[in-house]
Coordinates of all heavy atoms in Angstrom, one line a residue:
M227 N 80.0 96.5 108.5 CA 80.4 97.7 108.3 C 80.8 98.1 106.8 O 81.6 97.4 106.2 CB 81.5 98.3 109.2 CG 81.8 99.7 109.1 SD 83.1 100.0 110.5 CE 82.7 101.7 110.7
E228 N 80.2 99.1 106.2 CA 80.5 99.5 104.8 C 81.9 100.3 104.7 O 82.1 101.1 105.4 CB 79.5 100.4 104.2 CG 79.5 100.6 102.7 CD 78.4 101.4 102.2 OE1 77.2 101.0 102.6 OE2 78.5 102.3 101.5
K229 N 82.7 99.7 103.7 CA 84.0 100.3 103.6 C 83.8 101.7 102.8 O 83.1 101.8 101.7 CB 84.9 99.4 102.7 CG 86.3 99.9 102.7 CD 87.2 98.8 102.0 CE 88.6 99.2 101.9 NZ 89.4 98.2 101.2
K230 N 84.5 102.7 103.3 CA 84.4 104.1 102.6 C 85.3 104.2 101.5 O 86.4 103.6 101.5 CB 84.9 105.2 103.6 CG 83.7 105.8 104.5 CD 84.2 106.9 105.0 CE 82.9 107.8 105.4 NZ 83.4 109.1 106.1
E231 N 84.8 104.7 100.4 CA 85.6 104.9 99.1 C 86.5 106.1 99.4 O 86.1 107.2 99.8 CB 84.7 105.2 97.9 CG 85.3 105.4 96.6 CD 85.9 104.1 96.1 OE1 85.4 103.0 96.4 OE2 87.0 104.2 95.4
T232 N 87.8 105.9 99.0 CA 88.8 107.0 99.2 C 88.6 107.9 98.0 O 88.5 107.4 96.9 CB 90.2 106.5 99.2 OG1 90.2 105.6 100.4 CG2 91.3 107.6 99.5
K233 N 88.7 109.2 98.2 CA 88.6 110.2 97.1 C 89.9 110.3 96.5 O 90.9 110.5 97.2 CB 88.1 111.5 97.5 CG 87.8 112.5 96.5 CD 87.2 113.8 97.1 CE 86.8 114.8 96.2 NZ 87.3 114.8 94.8
H234 N 90.1 110.3 95.1 CA 91.3 110.5 94.5 C 91.1 111.7 93.5 O 90.2 111.8 92.8 CB 91.6 109.3 93.6 CG 91.8 108.1 94.5 ND1 92.9 107.8 95.3 CD2 91.1 107.0 94.6 CE1 92.7 106.7 95.9 NE2 91.7 106.1 95.5
D235 N 92.1 112.6 93.5 CA 92.3 113.6 92.5 C 93.6 113.7 91.9 O 94.6 113.6 92.7 CB 92.1 115.0 93.3 CG 90.6 115.1 93.8 OD1 89.7 115.0 93.0 OD2 90.4 115.3 95.0
A236 N 93.7 113.7 90.6 CA 94.9 113.7 90.0 C 95.0 114.7 88.8 O 93.8 114.9 88.2 CB 95.3 112.3 89.4
L237 N 96.1 115.2 88.5 CA 96.3 116.0 87.4 C 97.3 115.3 86.4 O 98.3 114.8 86.8 CB 96.9 117.3 87.7 CG 97.5 118.3 86.6 CD1 96.3 118.7 85.8 CD2 98.2 119.4 87.2
F238 N 96.9 115.2 85.1 CA 97.7 114.6 84.2 C 98.2 115.6 83.2 O 97.4 116.3 82.6 CB 96.8 113.5 83.3 CG 96.3 112.4 84.0 CD1 95.4 112.5 85.0 CD2 96.9 111.1 83.8 CE1 94.9 111.4 85.7 CE2 96.5 110.0 84.5 CZ 95.5 110.2 85.5
K239 N 99.5 115.6 83.0 CA 100.2 116.6 82.2 C 101.0 116.0 81.2 O 101.9 115.3 81.7 CB 101.0 117.5 83.2 CG 101.7 118.7 82.3 CD 102.5 119.5 83.3 CE 103.3 120.6 82.5 NZ 104.3 121.3 83.3
V240 N 100.8 116.2 79.9 CA 101.6 115.7 78.8 C 102.8 116.5 78.7 O 102.7 117.7 78.4 CB 100.7 115.6 77.5 CG1 101.7 115.0 76.4 CG2 99.6 114.7 77.6
I241 N 104.0 115.9 78.8 CA 105.2 116.6 78.7 C 105.6 116.5 77.1 O 105.8 115.4 76.8 CB 106.3 116.0 79.6 CG1 105.8 116.2 81.0 CG2 107.7 116.7 79.3 CD1 106.7 115.6 82.1
K242 N 106.0 117.5 76.6 CA 106.2 117.5 75.1 C 107.6 116.7 74.9 O 108.6 116.8 75.6 CB 106.6 118.9 74.6 CG 107.0 118.9 73.1 CD 107.2 120.3 72.7 CE 107.7 120.3 71.2 NZ 106.8 120.9 70.2
G243 N 107.5 115.7 74.1 CA 108.6 114.7 73.7 C 108.8 113.8 74.9 O 109.9 113.1 74.9
G244 N 108.0 113.7 75.9 CA 108.2 112.8 77.1 C 107.0 112.1 77.6 O 106.1 112.0 76.9
P245 N 107.0 111.7 78.9 CA 106.0 111.0 79.4 C 104.8 111.9 79.8 O 104.8 113.1 79.6 CB 106.7 110.5 80.6 CG 107.7 111.5 81.0 CD 108.2 112.0 79.8
I246 N 103.8 111.2 80.5 CA 102.7 111.9 81.2 C 102.9 112.1 82.6 O 103.2 111.1 83.2 CB 101.4 111.2 80.8 CG1 101.1 111.1 79.4 CG2 100.2 111.9 81.6 CD1 99.9 110.2 79.1
Q247 N 103.0 113.3 83.1 CA 103.2 113.5 84.4 C 101.8 113.4 85.3 O 101.0 114.1 84.9 CB 103.9 114.8 84.9 CG 104.1 115.2 86.3 CD 104.5 116.6 86.5 OE1 103.9 117.5 86.2 NE2 105.7 116.7 87.1
V248 N 101.8 112.5 86.2 CA 100.6 112.6 87.1 C 100.9 112.9 88.5 O 101.8 112.4 89.1 CB 100.0 111.0 87.1 CG1 98.7 110.9 87.8 CG2 99.9 110.5 85.7
S249 N 100.2 113.9 89.0 CA 100.5 114.4 90.3 C 99.1 114.5 91.0 O 98.0 114.7 90.4 CB 101.1 115.7 90.3 OG 100.4 116.7 89.6
G250 N 99.2 114.4 92.4 CA 97.9 114.5 93.1 C 97.8 113.4 94.1 O 98.8 112.8 94.5
N251 N 96.5 113.0 94.4 CA 96.1 112.0 95.2 C 95.6 110.8 94.4 O 94.5 111.0 94.0 CB 95.1 112.5 96.3 CG 94.7 111.5 97.2 OD1 95.4 110.5 97.4 ND2 93.7 111.7 97.9
F252 N 96.3 109.8 94.2 CA 95.9 108.7 93.3 C 96.5 107.4 93.6 O 97.5 107.3 94.4 CB 96.2 109.1 91.7 CG 97.6 109.3 91.5 CD1 98.5 108.3 91.3 CD2 98.1 110.6 91.7 CE1 99.7 108.5 91.1 CE2 99.6 110.7 91.5 CZ 100.4 109.7 91.1
V253 N 96.0 106.4 93.0 CA 96.5 105.0 93.2 C 96.6 104.4 91.7 O 95.7 104.6 91.0 CB 95.6 104.1 94.0 CG1 96.1 102.6 94.0 CG2 95.6 104.6 95.5
I254 N 97.7 103.8 91.6 CA 97.8 103.0 90.1 C 97.8 101.6 90.4 O 98.6 101.1 91.3 CB 99.0 103.5 89.5 CG1 99.0 105.0 89.1 CG2 99.2 102.6 88.2 CD1 100.2 105.4 88.4
R255 N 97.0 100.8 89.8 CA 96.8 99.4 90.1 C 97.3 98.6 88.8 O 96.9 99.1 87.8 CB 95.4 98.9 90.5 CG 95.0 99.3 91.7 CD 93.6 98.6 92.1 NE 93.1 99.3 93.4 CZ 93.3 98.8 94.6 NH1 94.2 97.8 94.7 NH2 92.8 99.3 95.6
G256 N 98.0 97.6 88.9 CA 98.4 96.8 87.7 C 97.3 95.8 87.3 O 96.2 95.8 87.8
V257 N 97.6 95.0 86.2 CA 96.5 94.1 85.7 C 96.3 93.1 86.8 O 95.1 92.5 86.6 CB 97.1 93.5 84.5 CG1 97.1 94.4 83.3 CG2 98.4 92.7 84.6
D258 N 97.1 92.8 87.6 CA 96.8 91.8 88.7 C 96.0 92.5 89.9 O 95.9 91.8 91.0 CB 98.1 91.2 89.2 CG 99.1 92.2 89.7 OD1 98.8 93.3 89.8 OD2 100.1 91.7 90.1
K259 N 95.7 93.8 89.8 CA 95.0 94.6 90.8 C 95.9 95.0 92.0 O 95.4 95.6 92.9 CB 93.7 93.8 91.3 CG 92.8 93.3 90.3 CD 91.6 94.1 90.0 CE 90.6 93.4 89.3 NZ 90.6 93.8 87.9
K260 N 97.1 94.7 91.9 CA 98.1 95.1 93.0 C 98.3 96.6 92.8 O 98.5 97.0 91.7 CB 99.3 94.3 93.0 CG 99.1 92.9 93.5 CD 100.5 92.0 93.5 CE 100.3 90.7 94.0 NZ 101.4 89.8 93.8
I261 N 98.6 97.2 93.9 CA 99.0 98.7 93.8 C 100.4 98.8 93.4 O 101.3 98.2 94.0 CB 98.7 99.3 95.1 CG1 97.1 99.5 95.5 CG2 99.2 100.7 95.2 CD1 96.9 99.9 96.9
L262 N 100.5 99.6 92.3 CA 101.9 99.7 91.8 C 102.5 101.0 92.5 O 103.7 101.1 92.6 CB 101.8 99.9 90.3 CG 101.4 98.8 89.4 CD1 101.4 99.1 88.0 CD2 102.3 97.6 89.7
K263 N 101.6 102.1 92.6 CA 102.2 103.4 93.1 C 101.2 104.1 93.9 O 100.0 104.0 93.4 CB 102.7 104.3 91.9 CG 104.0 103.8 91.2 CD 105.1 104.3 92.2 CE 106.5 104.1 91.3 NZ 107.6 104.5 92.2
T264 N 101.6 104.7 94.7 CA 100.7 105.6 95.5 C 101.4 107.0 95.7 O 101.0 107.8 96.6 CB 100.2 105.1 96.9 OG1 101.4 105.0 97.7 CG2 99.3 103.9 96.8
D265 N 102.5 107.3 95.0 CA 103.2 108.4 95.1 C 102.4 109.7 94.8 O 101.4 109.5 94.2 CB 104.5 108.4 94.2 CG 105.6 107.5 94.7 OD1 105.4 107.0 95.8 OD2 106.5 107.3 94.0
K266 N 102.9 110.7 95.1 CA 102.3 112.1 94.7 C 102.6 112.5 93.3 O 101.9 113.3 92.7 CB 102.7 113.2 95.8 CG 102.3 112.8 97.1 CD 100.7 112.7 97.2 CE 100.3 112.5 98.6 NZ 98.9 112.0 98.8
V267 N 103.8 112.0 92.7 CA 104.1 112.3 91.3 C 104.7 111.1 90.7 O 105.6 110.5 91.3 CB 105.1 113.5 91.2 CG1 105.5 113.7 89.8 CG2 104.5 114.7 91.9
V268 N 104.1 110.7 89.5 CA 104.7 109.6 88.7 C 104.7 110.0 87.3 O 104.0 111.0 86.8 CB 104.0 108.3 88.8 CG1 103.9 107.8 90.2 CG2 102.6 108.4 88.3
Y269 N 105.5 109.3 86.5 CA 105.6 109.6 85.0 C 105.2 108.4 84.3 O 105.9 107.4 84.5 CB 107.0 110.1 84.7 CG 107.4 111.4 85.4 CD1 107.9 111.5 86.7 CD2 107.2 112.6 84.7 CE1 108.2 112.6 87.3 CE2 107.4 113.8 85.3 CZ 107.9 113.8 86.6 OH 108.2 115.0 87.2
L270 N 104.3 108.5 83.5 CA 103.8 107.3 82.7 C 104.2 107.3 81.3 O 104.2 108.4 80.6 CB 102.2 107.3 82.7 CG 101.6 107.2 84.1 CD1 100.1 107.2 83.9 CD2 101.9 105.9 84.8
C271 N 104.7 106.2 80.8 CA 105.2 106.2 79.4 C 104.0 106.3 78.5 O 103.0 105.8 78.5 CB 105.8 104.8 79.2 SG 106.4 104.5 77.5
R272 N 104.3 107.1 77.3 CA 103.4 107.2 76.3 C 104.0 107.0 75.0 O 103.4 107.2 73.9 CB 102.7 108.7 76.3 CG 103.6 109.8 76.0 CD 102.7 111.1 76.1 NE 103.5 112.2 75.8 CZ 103.4 112.8 74.6 NH1 102.6 112.3 73.6 NH2 104.3 113.8 74.3
C273 N 105.3 106.5 74.9 CA 106.0 106.3 73.7 C 106.0 104.7 73.4 O 106.3 104.4 72.3 CB 107.5 106.7 73.7 SG 108.6 105.7 74.7
G274 N 105.7 103.9 74.4 CA 105.6 102.4 74.2 C 107.1 101.8 74.3 O 107.1 100.6 74.2
G275 N 108.1 102.5 74.6 CA 109.5 102.1 74.5 C 110.0 101.8 75.9 O 111.0 101.2 76.1
S276 N 109.2 102.0 77.0 CA 109.8 101.8 78.3 C 109.9 100.3 78.7 O 109.1 99.5 78.4 CB 108.8 102.5 79.4 OG 109.3 102.2 80.7
G277 N 111.0 100.0 79.4 CA 111.2 98.7 79.9 C 110.5 98.5 81.2 O 110.7 97.3 81.7
R278 N 110.0 99.4 81.7 CA 109.3 99.2 83.1 C 107.8 99.8 83.0 O 107.5 100.6 83.9 CB 110.1 99.8 84.2 CG 110.5 101.3 84.1 CD 111.3 101.6 85.3 NE 111.3 103.1 85.5 CZ 110.6 103.6 86.4 NH1 109.8 102.9 87.3 NH2 110.6 104.9 86.5
K279 N 107.1 99.6 82.0 CA 105.7 100.1 81.7 C 104.9 99.7 83.0 O 105.1 98.6 83.5 CB 105.2 99.5 80.5 CG 105.7 99.9 79.3 CD 105.0 99.4 78.1 CE 105.7 99.5 76.8 NZ 106.8 98.5 76.5
P280 N 104.0 100.5 83.4 CA 103.6 101.8 82.7 C 104.4 102.9 82.9 O 104.0 104.1 82.6 CB 102.1 101.9 83.3 CG 102.2 101.5 84.6 CD 103.1 100.3 84.6
F281 N 105.5 102.8 83.7 CA 106.3 104.0 84.0 C 107.4 104.3 82.9 O 107.8 103.4 82.3 CB 106.9 103.8 85.4 CG 105.9 103.4 86.4 CD1 105.8 102.2 86.9 CD2 105.0 104.4 86.9 CE1 104.8 101.8 87.9 CE2 104.1 104.1 87.8 CZ 103.9 102.8 88.3
C282 N 107.7 105.6 82.9 CA 108.7 106.1 82.0 C 110.0 105.7 82.6 O 110.3 105.8 83.8 CB 108.6 107.5 81.9 SG 109.9 108.4 81.0
D283 N 110.9 105.3 81.7 CA 112.3 105.0 82.1 C 113.3 105.8 81.3 O 114.5 105.5 81.2 CB 112.6 103.5 81.9 CG 112.6 102.9 80.5 OD1 112.5 103.6 79.6 OD2 113.0 101.7 80.3
G284 N 112.9 106.7 80.5 CA 113.7 107.7 79.7 C 113.9 107.2 78.4 O 114.6 107.7 77.5
S285 N 113.3 105.9 78.0 CA 113.5 105.4 76.6 C 112.8 106.2 75.5 O 113.2 106.1 74.3 CB 112.9 104.0 76.5 OG 113.6 103.1 77.3
H286 N 112.0 107.2 75.9 CA 111.5 108.1 74.9 C 112.5 108.9 74.0 O 112.3 109.3 72.9 CB 110.4 109.1 75.4 CG 111.0 109.9 76.6 ND1 110.9 109.5 77.9 CD2 111.5 111.0 76.5 CE1 111.4 110.4 78.7 NE2 111.9 111.3 77.9
R287 N 113.7 109.2 74.7 CA 114.7 109.8 74.0 C 115.2 109.0 72.9 O 115.6 109.5 71.8 CB 115.9 110.1 75.0 CG 115.4 111.2 76.0 CD 116.6 111.6 77.0 NE 116.1 112.1 78.2 CZ 115.8 111.5 79.2 NH1 116.1 110.2 79.4 NH2 115.3 112.1 80.3
R288 N 115.4 107.6 73.1 CA 116.0 106.7 72.1 C 114.9 106.5 71.0 O 115.1 106.4 69.8 CB 116.2 105.3 72.8 CG 116.6 104.3 71.8 CD 116.9 102.9 72.6 NE 116.1 102.5 73.5 CZ 114.8 102.0 73.3 NH1 114.4 101.6 72.1 NH2 113.9 101.7 74.3
V289 N 113.6 106.4 71.4 CA 112.5 106.3 70.5 C 112.4 107.4 69.7 O 111.9 107.3 68.4 CB 111.2 105.9 71.3 CG1 110.0 105.9 70.4 CG2 111.3 104.6 72.0
G290 N 112.7 108.6 70.1 CA 112.5 109.9 69.4 C 111.1 110.4 69.4 O 110.7 111.1 68.4
L291 N 110.5 110.4 70.5 CA 109.2 110.9 70.7 C 109.3 112.4 70.5 O 110.2 113.1 71.2 CB 108.6 110.6 72.1 CG 107.2 111.0 72.5 CD1 106.2 110.2 71.5 CD2 106.9 110.6 73.8
K292 N 108.4 113.0 69.6 CA 108.6 114.5 69.3 C 107.5 115.3 70.0 O 107.8 116.4 70.5 CB 108.5 114.6 67.8 CG 109.5 113.9 66.9 CD 110.8 114.6 67.2 CE 111.9 113.9 66.2 NZ 113.2 113.9 66.8
D293 N 106.4 114.9 70.0 CA 105.2 115.8 70.4 C 104.9 115.4 71.9 O 105.0 114.4 72.2 CB 104.1 115.7 69.4 CG 104.3 116.4 68.1 OD1 105.1 117.3 68.1 OD2 103.8 115.8 67.1
Ligands
FES654 S1 107.6 108.3 77.6 FE1 109.4 107.9 78.6 S2 109.9 105.8 78.2 FE2 108.1 106.1 77.1

């Protein structure tokens, strides 16, 4: 029996001076292919300073992300 592909729809919103908000129906997989998140809303780091990448931990304030 063929496995059905699940449809995913997500909205990516860049927050000024902060992370990228992802909302909708999505799955995030890590480099080991394990599912990291299936929440309806997550915040992804775009400053490179997070201690829990790929997720934001608020370090963008310390890093001084402006745009
Ligand atoms: S954007 Fe928040 S920690 Fe990087």
Side-chain angles (χ1 to χ4, degrees):
M227 181 175 206
E228 190 172 315
K229 190 175 178 182
K230 271 191 156 182
E231 181 70 29
T232 305
K233 185 171 180 354
H234 300 288
D235 291 303
L237 172 66
F238 292 73
K239 179 181 175 188
V240 177
I241 298 174
K242 184 175 174 120
I246 298 171
Q247 179 190 57
V248 184
S249 59
N251 178 20
F252 59 86
V253 171
I254 298 175
R255 290 187 188 275
V257 292
D258 58 2
K259 309 260 194 260
K260 287 184 182 170
I261 293 176
L262 298 177
K263 283 281 186 183
T264 58
D265 287 350
K266 295 299 180 192
V267 178
V268 296
Y269 295 88
L270 299 177
C271 176
R272 67 181 183 100
C273 74
S276 176
R278 56 182 203 104
K279 292 181 193 84
F281 305 105
C282 172
D283 69 355
S285 294
H286 55 270
R287 293 182 199 98
R288 175 181 45 81
V289 171
L291 189 60
K292 301 285 183 218
D293 295 326

